[in-house]
């Protein structure tokens, strides 16, 4: 075992990571702790998370193998195959735009699968990893973006908090996933060049049913990101 090598820096949840070797297979141990009173419902959340993982797999979303998972007090533990650093760690903007690099193409196809299947996912670049063969996997399953969990979280909120949470949840849904993906690049690279935005837009448009021109698309992407930034600034957590 060796300690976390920085993956925790990419998690908004109270989550930590350890890299493991299980019979010669690189694995990552995810230790997930809620930031809200949902910690009292961890057994139920574990069931919802397992169902969410099955739902994603059934629709063809390329998730890593889960070797083991269990509750441990107020924590969820998932031990999964490790397929490498996430896109944010592994690639510069120039790397992503290289002609022989199809990482964004693969991500856009995963987003397309989610859109076509009516799935809710978090398309932030940190949630996609790339292995040595340049194959992309989606690795985020906490919180589980399924109706029962979202209703559980919404039941804990009221007023402005409830309004922000409901709107934020909708942005993980199929109608907003292309905007959400691009919007999160503004979080990583506040001065992102327009050439990169155009590349992302064109790649998504080729694989996903994007229903607006470039300028309105970018404005909507910024709105999606702005709401997430507002939620985080107010210390409102989804789990």
């Amino acid at each position: 075992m060796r300690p976390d090598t920085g993956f925790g820096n990419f998690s908004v949840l109270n989550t930590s990571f350890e890299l493991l070797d299980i019979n010669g297979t690189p694995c990552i141990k995810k230790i997930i702790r809620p930031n809200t009173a949902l910690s009292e419902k961890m057994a139920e959340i574990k069931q919802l998370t397992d169902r969410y993982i099955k739902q994603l797999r059934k629709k063809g979303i390329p998730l890593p193998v889960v070797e083991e998972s269990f509750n441990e007090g107020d924590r969820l533990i998932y031990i999964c195959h490790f397929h490498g650093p996430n896109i944010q760690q592994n690639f510069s903007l120039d790397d992503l735009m290289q002609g022989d690099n199809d990482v964004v193409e693969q991500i856009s196809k995963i987003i397309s699968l989610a859109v076509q299947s009516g799935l809710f996912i978090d398309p932030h670049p940190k949630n996609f990893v790339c292995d040595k063969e340049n194959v992309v996997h989606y690795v985020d399953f906490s919180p589980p973006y399924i109706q029962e969990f979202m209703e559980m979280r919404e039941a804990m909120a009221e007023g402005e908090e409830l309004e922000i949470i409901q709107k934020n949840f909708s942005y993980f849904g199929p109608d907003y996933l292309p905007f959400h993906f691009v919007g999160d690049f503004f979080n990583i690279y506040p001065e992102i060049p327009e050439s990169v935005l155009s590349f992302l837009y064109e790649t998504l448009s080729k694989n996903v049913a994007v229903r607006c021109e470039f300028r309105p698309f970018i404005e909507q992407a910024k709105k999606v990101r702005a709401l997430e930034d507002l939620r985080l600034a107010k210390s409102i957590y989804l789990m």
Side-chain angles (χ1 to χ4, degrees), residues 192-223:
I192 186 169
E194 183 159 317
S195 59
V196 177
L197 294 174
S198 179
F199 169 74
L200 295 173
Y201 172 77
E202 290 170 6
T203 307
L204 285 164
S205 297
K206 183 169 63 173
N207 294 290
V208 190
V210 175
R211 296 185 297 275
C212 61
E213 298 300 319
F214 175 69
R215 292 295 173 194
F217 180 93
I218 296 304
E219 289 308 308
Q220 182 60 61
K222 289 179 178 178
K223 289 179 182 178

Short mmCIF file of all heavy atoms in Angstrom, two decimals, residues 192-223:
data_model
loop_
_atom_site.label_atom_id
_atom_site.label_comp_id
_atom_site.label_asym_id
_atom_site.label_seq_id
_atom_site.Cartn_x
_atom_site.Cartn_y
_atom_site.Cartn_z
N ILE A 192 -9.41 30.01 -20.14
CA ILE A 192 -9.32 29.00 -21.20
C ILE A 192 -9.44 29.65 -22.58
O ILE A 192 -10.33 30.48 -22.81
CB ILE A 192 -10.41 27.92 -20.99
CG1 ILE A 192 -10.24 26.78 -22.01
CG2 ILE A 192 -11.81 28.50 -21.04
CD1 ILE A 192 -11.11 25.57 -21.68
N PRO A 193 -8.54 29.31 -23.50
CA PRO A 193 -8.59 29.93 -24.84
C PRO A 193 -9.85 29.54 -25.62
O PRO A 193 -10.37 28.43 -25.45
CB PRO A 193 -7.34 29.36 -25.54
CG PRO A 193 -6.45 28.89 -24.43
CD PRO A 193 -7.37 28.44 -23.33
N GLU A 194 -10.31 30.44 -26.45
CA GLU A 194 -11.50 30.15 -27.24
C GLU A 194 -11.27 28.98 -28.20
O GLU A 194 -12.20 28.24 -28.52
CB GLU A 194 -11.94 31.39 -28.02
CG GLU A 194 -13.22 31.16 -28.79
CD GLU A 194 -13.94 32.45 -29.15
OE1 GLU A 194 -14.02 33.34 -28.28
OE2 GLU A 194 -14.40 32.55 -30.30
N SER A 195 -10.03 28.80 -28.64
CA SER A 195 -9.74 27.69 -29.54
C SER A 195 -10.03 26.35 -28.87
O SER A 195 -10.50 25.41 -29.53
CB SER A 195 -8.28 27.73 -29.99
OG SER A 195 -7.40 27.67 -28.87
N VAL A 196 -9.78 26.26 -27.56
CA VAL A 196 -10.06 25.03 -26.83
C VAL A 196 -11.57 24.85 -26.68
O VAL A 196 -12.11 23.76 -26.86
CB VAL A 196 -9.38 25.03 -25.45
CG1 VAL A 196 -9.74 23.78 -24.66
CG2 VAL A 196 -7.86 25.14 -25.60
N LEU A 197 -12.27 25.94 -26.34
CA LEU A 197 -13.73 25.87 -26.22
C LEU A 197 -14.36 25.44 -27.53
O LEU A 197 -15.29 24.63 -27.55
CB LEU A 197 -14.28 27.23 -25.79
CG LEU A 197 -13.88 27.71 -24.39
CD1 LEU A 197 -14.39 29.13 -24.16
CD2 LEU A 197 -14.41 26.77 -23.31
N SER A 198 -13.86 25.96 -28.63
CA SER A 198 -14.37 25.58 -29.94
C SER A 198 -14.12 24.11 -30.22
O SER A 198 -15.01 23.39 -30.74
CB SER A 198 -13.71 26.44 -31.02
OG SER A 198 -14.17 26.08 -32.29
N PHE A 199 -12.94 23.62 -29.85
CA PHE A 199 -12.62 22.20 -30.02
C PHE A 199 -13.56 21.31 -29.20
O PHE A 199 -14.08 20.31 -29.70
CB PHE A 199 -11.16 21.96 -29.61
CG PHE A 199 -10.79 20.50 -29.48
CD1 PHE A 199 -10.60 19.73 -30.61
CD2 PHE A 199 -10.63 19.92 -28.23
CE1 PHE A 199 -10.26 18.38 -30.50
CE2 PHE A 199 -10.29 18.58 -28.11
CZ PHE A 199 -10.10 17.80 -29.25
N LEU A 200 -13.79 21.70 -27.95
CA LEU A 200 -14.69 20.92 -27.10
C LEU A 200 -16.11 20.92 -27.68
O LEU A 200 -16.76 19.87 -27.75
CB LEU A 200 -14.71 21.49 -25.68
CG LEU A 200 -13.40 21.41 -24.89
CD1 LEU A 200 -13.52 22.19 -23.58
CD2 LEU A 200 -13.00 19.97 -24.62
N TYR A 201 -16.56 22.08 -28.10
CA TYR A 201 -17.91 22.20 -28.67
C TYR A 201 -18.06 21.34 -29.93
O TYR A 201 -19.05 20.62 -30.08
CB TYR A 201 -18.19 23.66 -28.99
CG TYR A 201 -19.47 23.90 -29.75
CD1 TYR A 201 -20.71 23.86 -29.12
CD2 TYR A 201 -19.45 24.15 -31.12
CE1 TYR A 201 -21.89 24.07 -29.83
CE2 TYR A 201 -20.61 24.36 -31.84
CZ TYR A 201 -21.83 24.32 -31.19
OH TYR A 201 -23.00 24.51 -31.89
N GLU A 202 -17.10 21.43 -30.81
CA GLU A 202 -17.18 20.68 -32.06
C GLU A 202 -17.14 19.17 -31.82
O GLU A 202 -17.86 18.40 -32.49
CB GLU A 202 -16.03 21.10 -32.98
CG GLU A 202 -16.19 22.50 -33.53
CD GLU A 202 -14.95 23.00 -34.24
OE1 GLU A 202 -14.00 22.20 -34.40
OE2 GLU A 202 -14.93 24.18 -34.65
N THR A 203 -16.31 18.74 -30.86
CA THR A 203 -16.23 17.30 -30.57
C THR A 203 -17.53 16.80 -29.96
O THR A 203 -18.03 15.73 -30.32
CB THR A 203 -15.04 17.00 -29.63
OG1 THR A 203 -13.85 17.57 -30.19
CG2 THR A 203 -14.85 15.50 -29.46
N LEU A 204 -18.08 17.57 -29.03
CA LEU A 204 -19.36 17.20 -28.44
C LEU A 204 -20.47 17.18 -29.50
O LEU A 204 -21.28 16.25 -29.54
CB LEU A 204 -19.73 18.17 -27.32
CG LEU A 204 -18.97 18.00 -26.00
CD1 LEU A 204 -19.14 19.24 -25.13
CD2 LEU A 204 -19.44 16.76 -25.25
N SER A 205 -20.49 18.19 -30.35
CA SER A 205 -21.54 18.30 -31.37
C SER A 205 -21.53 17.11 -32.31
O SER A 205 -22.57 16.69 -32.83
CB SER A 205 -21.38 19.59 -32.17
OG SER A 205 -21.53 20.72 -31.35
N LYS A 206 -20.34 16.54 -32.53
CA LYS A 206 -20.23 15.38 -33.42
C LYS A 206 -20.85 14.14 -32.81
O LYS A 206 -21.33 13.25 -33.52
CB LYS A 206 -18.74 15.14 -33.73
CG LYS A 206 -18.48 14.01 -34.70
CD LYS A 206 -17.04 14.00 -35.15
CE LYS A 206 -16.08 13.75 -34.00
NZ LYS A 206 -14.68 13.58 -34.44
N ASN A 207 -20.87 14.05 -31.47
CA ASN A 207 -21.30 12.83 -30.79
C ASN A 207 -22.58 12.96 -29.98
O ASN A 207 -23.21 11.96 -29.65
CB ASN A 207 -20.18 12.34 -29.88
CG ASN A 207 -18.95 11.89 -30.64
OD1 ASN A 207 -18.96 10.88 -31.32
ND2 ASN A 207 -17.87 12.67 -30.54
N VAL A 208 -22.93 14.20 -29.62
CA VAL A 208 -24.10 14.44 -28.77
C VAL A 208 -25.02 15.40 -29.49
O VAL A 208 -24.56 16.26 -30.25
CB VAL A 208 -23.68 15.04 -27.40
CG1 VAL A 208 -24.87 15.07 -26.44
CG2 VAL A 208 -22.53 14.25 -26.78
N ALA A 209 -26.31 15.29 -29.22
CA ALA A 209 -27.27 16.18 -29.86
C ALA A 209 -27.23 17.55 -29.20
O ALA A 209 -28.06 17.87 -28.33
CB ALA A 209 -28.68 15.59 -29.78
N VAL A 210 -26.27 18.38 -29.57
CA VAL A 210 -26.16 19.75 -29.05
C VAL A 210 -27.10 20.63 -29.87
O VAL A 210 -26.97 20.73 -31.09
CB VAL A 210 -24.71 20.27 -29.15
CG1 VAL A 210 -24.64 21.72 -28.74
CG2 VAL A 210 -23.79 19.42 -28.28
N ARG A 211 -28.03 21.29 -29.19
CA ARG A 211 -29.12 21.96 -29.90
C ARG A 211 -28.96 23.49 -29.98
O ARG A 211 -29.94 24.20 -30.08
CB ARG A 211 -30.45 21.62 -29.23
CG ARG A 211 -30.81 20.13 -29.29
CD ARG A 211 -32.18 19.87 -28.72
NE ARG A 211 -32.28 20.22 -27.32
CZ ARG A 211 -31.92 19.40 -26.33
NH1 ARG A 211 -31.46 18.19 -26.61
NH2 ARG A 211 -32.04 19.77 -25.07
N CYS A 212 -27.74 23.98 -29.91
CA CYS A 212 -27.57 25.42 -30.07
C CYS A 212 -26.21 25.72 -30.66
O CYS A 212 -25.32 24.87 -30.68
CB CYS A 212 -27.75 26.16 -28.73
SG CYS A 212 -26.58 25.70 -27.45
N GLU A 213 -26.05 26.94 -31.16
CA GLU A 213 -24.80 27.37 -31.76
C GLU A 213 -23.74 27.61 -30.67
O GLU A 213 -24.03 27.59 -29.48
CB GLU A 213 -25.03 28.63 -32.58
CG GLU A 213 -25.99 28.47 -33.75
CD GLU A 213 -25.51 27.42 -34.75
OE1 GLU A 213 -24.30 27.40 -35.04
OE2 GLU A 213 -26.35 26.63 -35.23
N PHE A 214 -22.53 27.87 -31.13
CA PHE A 214 -21.38 27.94 -30.23
C PHE A 214 -21.56 28.98 -29.12
O PHE A 214 -21.38 28.66 -27.93
CB PHE A 214 -20.12 28.26 -31.04
CG PHE A 214 -18.89 28.48 -30.21
CD1 PHE A 214 -18.30 27.43 -29.51
CD2 PHE A 214 -18.32 29.74 -30.12
CE1 PHE A 214 -17.15 27.64 -28.73
CE2 PHE A 214 -17.18 29.96 -29.36
CZ PHE A 214 -16.61 28.91 -28.66
N ARG A 215 -21.90 30.23 -29.46
CA ARG A 215 -21.97 31.28 -28.44
C ARG A 215 -23.02 31.00 -27.37
O ARG A 215 -22.73 31.08 -26.17
CB ARG A 215 -22.24 32.64 -29.10
CG ARG A 215 -21.10 33.16 -29.93
CD ARG A 215 -19.88 33.45 -29.07
NE ARG A 215 -18.72 33.80 -29.89
CZ ARG A 215 -17.48 33.84 -29.44
NH1 ARG A 215 -17.24 33.54 -28.18
NH2 ARG A 215 -16.48 34.16 -30.24
N PRO A 216 -24.26 30.67 -27.74
CA PRO A 216 -25.25 30.34 -26.70
C PRO A 216 -24.83 29.11 -25.88
O PRO A 216 -25.11 29.03 -24.69
CB PRO A 216 -26.53 30.06 -27.49
CG PRO A 216 -26.33 30.69 -28.81
CD PRO A 216 -24.87 30.71 -29.08
N PHE A 217 -24.16 28.17 -26.54
CA PHE A 217 -23.69 26.99 -25.83
C PHE A 217 -22.71 27.38 -24.72
O PHE A 217 -22.83 26.92 -23.58
CB PHE A 217 -23.00 26.02 -26.81
CG PHE A 217 -22.48 24.76 -26.16
CD1 PHE A 217 -23.27 23.62 -26.10
CD2 PHE A 217 -21.21 24.73 -25.59
CE1 PHE A 217 -22.79 22.46 -25.50
CE2 PHE A 217 -20.73 23.58 -24.98
CZ PHE A 217 -21.52 22.44 -24.93
N ILE A 218 -21.75 28.23 -25.03
CA ILE A 218 -20.75 28.64 -24.04
C ILE A 218 -21.40 29.43 -22.92
O ILE A 218 -21.05 29.26 -21.73
CB ILE A 218 -19.62 29.45 -24.71
CG1 ILE A 218 -18.87 28.57 -25.72
CG2 ILE A 218 -18.66 30.01 -23.66
CD1 ILE A 218 -18.28 27.29 -25.14
N GLU A 219 -22.36 30.29 -23.23
CA GLU A 219 -23.04 31.05 -22.18
C GLU A 219 -23.79 30.12 -21.24
O GLU A 219 -23.79 30.32 -20.02
CB GLU A 219 -24.00 32.07 -22.81
CG GLU A 219 -23.29 33.23 -23.49
CD GLU A 219 -22.27 33.90 -22.57
OE1 GLU A 219 -22.64 34.27 -21.44
OE2 GLU A 219 -21.10 34.05 -22.98
N GLN A 220 -24.44 29.08 -21.79
CA GLN A 220 -25.14 28.12 -20.93
C GLN A 220 -24.14 27.32 -20.09
O GLN A 220 -24.38 27.04 -18.91
CB GLN A 220 -25.99 27.17 -21.77
CG GLN A 220 -26.79 26.15 -20.95
CD GLN A 220 -27.76 26.79 -20.00
OE1 GLN A 220 -28.67 27.52 -20.41
NE2 GLN A 220 -27.58 26.56 -18.71
N ALA A 221 -23.01 26.97 -20.67
CA ALA A 221 -21.98 26.25 -19.92
C ALA A 221 -21.50 27.08 -18.74
O ALA A 221 -21.30 26.56 -17.63
CB ALA A 221 -20.80 25.92 -20.84
N LYS A 222 -21.34 28.38 -18.94
CA LYS A 222 -20.92 29.28 -17.85
C LYS A 222 -21.98 29.35 -16.75
O LYS A 222 -21.66 29.40 -15.56
CB LYS A 222 -20.63 30.67 -18.40
CG LYS A 222 -19.38 30.77 -19.25
CD LYS A 222 -19.17 32.19 -19.76
CE LYS A 222 -17.89 32.32 -20.57
NZ LYS A 222 -17.72 33.69 -21.11
N LYS A 223 -23.26 29.34 -17.14
CA LYS A 223 -24.34 29.38 -16.15
C LYS A 223 -24.35 28.12 -15.30
O LYS A 223 -24.58 28.17 -14.08
CB LYS A 223 -25.69 29.55 -16.85
CG LYS A 223 -25.91 30.91 -17.46
CD LYS A 223 -27.26 30.98 -18.17
CE LYS A 223 -27.46 32.34 -18.82
NZ LYS A 223 -28.76 32.40 -19.57
#
